[in-house]
Amino acid sequence: MAVTTRAESRLDVARIRADFPVLSQTVRGKPLVYLDNAATSQKPRQVIEAMSRVFEEHNANIHRGVYEFSERTTAVFEEARAKVAGLINAPSEREVIFVRNATEGVNLVAYAWGRDNLKRGDRIVTTVLEHHSDFVPWQQLAMEVGAEVAVVDIDDDGRLRRDQLSAELRKGVKLLAITHTSNGLGTVNPVKEIAAEAHAAGATVLVDAAQAVPHTPVDVQDLGADFLVFSGHKMLAPPGSGGVWGRTALLENMRPFLYGGDMISRVTISLTEWNELPWKFEAGTSSYVDAIGLGAAVDYLQEVGLARIHEHELGLVSYVLPRLQDIPGVTVYGPKTLEDRVGVVSFNIEGIHPHDVATIFDREGVCVRAGHHCNQPLMTRLGVPATTRASFYLYNTTEECDALVGAVHAAKKVFGV
Ligand code: 7TS
């Protein structure tokens, strides 16, 4: 396999690491090597402090109080929305809806758009790379309304079968639900080209960008999607924050997702009128402190630069991939080149179950995820029950890659394979 090691990262990783208090922890007497960033990311001081400031300086429920004090929280919350809109280049802040996570985002679209736009005989095209949260909602909706789901396969390098995708789109399609970046293999799909092709076939396009927005520049206008979802906790923000972006024309024509306070403009005994976008979709007291934390995370990511973060992660992949592949008995799944991939490396060690691998890694202080990664259709396609997955972020180092490789040797030694 030809993988060139990229030039030294242009990120000042030591300085970045100093912003993340948790990274100086030890595990079993060894330095913490946190390589489970696809599951969730660590949080910098700047995010923690932005959230503490709300509680210490101006906490009050948003969009409700008319007193000046409560307006401060509302203002910071709405600033966070503007920051998110800027990050993904949304044409309007009104198109950014705060939700708890990507899962809630997909369910919002499935409920509020899907129920009124998909009917018996309609076709939903999706891929075998989807996380369960961009698969199960569509599978269940299809069962409910009598629609069909077509699942596009990958090739042996973990890349989407474009020929098969084109064939499925040609058969007729109402919705294409596609992941931008695979959490199981790290594959990046050419979403811009695919969205154009899907639109030409008459589809509405939902993009699951949960593994993209944290790691690469994402521009919704350039991608040409109709809906895009992501989770804050994977991008330095707290759990409980996330977003759905949708085109105004679609969002305006959708029914609300949840009913209750804040999403209305007028309620009488006989009818209710909905609030304007985006608040029509934000019923009840939102996780406003989490959303404010997301705003601070966006500031942090933009200051470092997402293109540089992506380069840094590819540098780590180029370093670790050949080293893992050189170890007898190690099988790496997914793309073996640096094109169109992110810093997710999935592998197995022959003769050792991934859960045992992760347990031995833990003794070395190395945190990785072992399991199906909420990708059971993908695991079935790969012919394995599970993989071990290392996933990198801006604060990871080549020394941590060495610790990962060392942990593989340690596991092999324990199991005598
Ligand atoms: N979509 C993708 C591509 C994901 O990777 C995940 C979470 C989700 C959606 C759902 O995100 P949530 O925040 O709503 O849970 N992925 C993973 C993972 O790979 N390991 O743990 C969570």
Side-chain angles (χ1 to χ4, degrees):
M1 182 204 66
V3 170
T4 47
T5 303
R6 298 218 160 174
E8 274 300 293
S9 162
R10 288 179 295 134
L11 293 192
D12 186 347
V13 178
R15 207 176 128 200
I16 288 170
R17 289 181 71 85
D19 288 331
F20 290 78
V22 84
L23 294 179
S24 52
Q25 292 288 316
T26 53
V27 175
R28 301 180 191 279
K30 304 218 164 142
L32 169 71
V33 176
Y34 185 77
L35 302 179
D36 196 14
N37 294 286
T40 201
S41 67
Q42 301 303 341
K43 320 304 171 199
R45 222 178 277 286
Q46 290 82 342
V47 167
I48 300 166
E49 285 169 3
M51 295 174 70
S52 296
R53 266 199 304 278
V54 181
F55 294 125
E56 289 175 7
E57 296 174 14
H58 55 82
N59 181 49
N61 206 337
I62 53 167
H63 297 145
R64 284 163 175 81
V66 286
Y67 47 97
E68 193 272 339
F69 185 69
S70 94
E71 285 167 12
R72 288 188 218 167
T73 308
T74 303
V76 186
F77 174 74
E78 290 300 336
E79 267 166 36
R81 192 191 309 279
K83 288 174 185 177
V84 170
L87 179 74
I88 59 173
N89 197 27
S92 162
E93 290 160 30
R94 300 173 64 234
E95 297 183 340
V96 174
I97 301 157
F98 281 127
V99 287
R100 282 181 304 150
N101 49 41
T103 303
E104 187 170 295
V106 176
N107 279 276
L108 184 155
V109 177
Y111 183 88
W113 179 86
R115 276 181 173 68
D116 292 330
N117 288 280
L118 294 168
K119 55 181 190 319
R120 179 161 299 281
D122 282 345
R123 299 183 77 249
I124 299 168
V125 175
T126 186
T127 87
V128 77
L129 287 171
E130 302 314 303
H131 185 279
H132 294 163
S133 63
D134 192 35
F135 183 72
V136 180
W138 304 119
Q139 179 195 56
Q140 294 301 308
L141 180 60
M143 284 161 66
E144 207 175 302
V145 302
E148 274 173 44
V149 180
V151 180
V152 177
D153 199 6
I154 48 172
D155 64 20
D156 290 338
D157 206 30
R159 310 231 177 240
L160 206 60
R161 289 269 311 270
R162 289 293 300 280
D163 56 329
Q164 213 184 76
L165 175 68
S166 300
E168 290 299 344
L169 293 177
R170 276 197 302 271
K171 286 184 209 161
V173 54
K174 208 63 184 282
L175 172 77
L176 172 69
I178 186 167
T179 195
H180 182 295
T181 300
S182 159
N183 64 308
L185 299 178
T187 314
V188 174
N189 289 320
V191 171
K192 183 177 175 173
E193 282 173 29
I194 290 173
E197 192 181 342
H199 280 146
T204 296
V205 178
L206 174 134
V207 176
D208 175 355
Q211 297 292 347
V213 175
H215 301 280
T216 55
V218 170
D219 177 332
V220 291
Q221 298 190 56
D222 184 56
L223 281 183
D226 299 302
F227 296 107
L228 181 133
V229 303
F230 60 92
S231 288
H233 69 93
K234 296 184 196 289
M235 51 186 285
L236 313 184
S241 63
V244 174
W245 167 82
R247 291 183 192 273
T248 299
L250 288 166
L251 295 174
E252 274 180 343
N253 285 318
M254 278 155 59
R255 63 165 103 174
F257 177 40
L258 298 170
Y259 299 105
D262 222 25
M263 51 75 69
I264 55 88
S265 68
R266 190 171 73 103
V267 180
T268 69
I269 297 295
S270 54
L271 62 86
T272 299
E273 288 165 11
W274 313 133
N275 202 343
E276 290 169 28
L277 294 178
W279 307 294
K280 167 180 154 185
F281 292 105
E282 293 179 359
T285 298
S286 73
S287 295
Y288 57 89
V289 182
D290 299 323
I292 289 167
L294 175 57
V298 169
D299 283 343
Y300 192 96
L301 290 170
Q302 286 199 315
E303 207 175 307
V304 178
L306 279 145
R308 291 167 74 214
I309 291 171
H310 180 54
E311 267 300 294
H312 173 70
E313 290 170 22
L314 286 185
L316 297 176
V317 173
S318 74
Y319 182 84
V320 84
L321 215 48
R323 285 168 173 77
L324 283 177
Q325 290 196 299
D326 276 354
I327 303 173
V330 170
T331 304
V332 176
Y333 305 98
K336 311 298 185 303
T337 56
L338 295 183
E339 277 64 50
D340 298 325
R341 68 157 9 268
V342 293
V344 169
V345 179
S346 248
F347 61 95
N348 273 326
I349 308 173
E350 200 180 343
I352 319 179
H353 191 280
H355 284 148
D356 294 329
V357 172
T359 305
I360 294 165
F361 280 23
D362 179 47
R363 292 191 209 156
E364 308 293 318
V366 177
C367 307
V368 293
R369 183 162 172 194
H372 55 63
H373 317 296
C374 302
N375 276 147
Q376 283 184 340
L378 175 63
M379 295 297 124
T380 304
R381 166 63 178 84
L382 297 175
V384 295
T387 70
T388 305
R389 182 189 68 183
S391 51
F392 303 114
Y393 211 0
L394 72 169
Y395 36 67
N396 290 126
T397 64
T398 45
E399 290 74 26
E400 291 178 312
C401 293
D402 289 335
L404 174 70
V405 172
V408 173
H409 288 295
K412 284 178 53 120
K413 203 165 155 201
V414 170
F415 277 81
V417 294

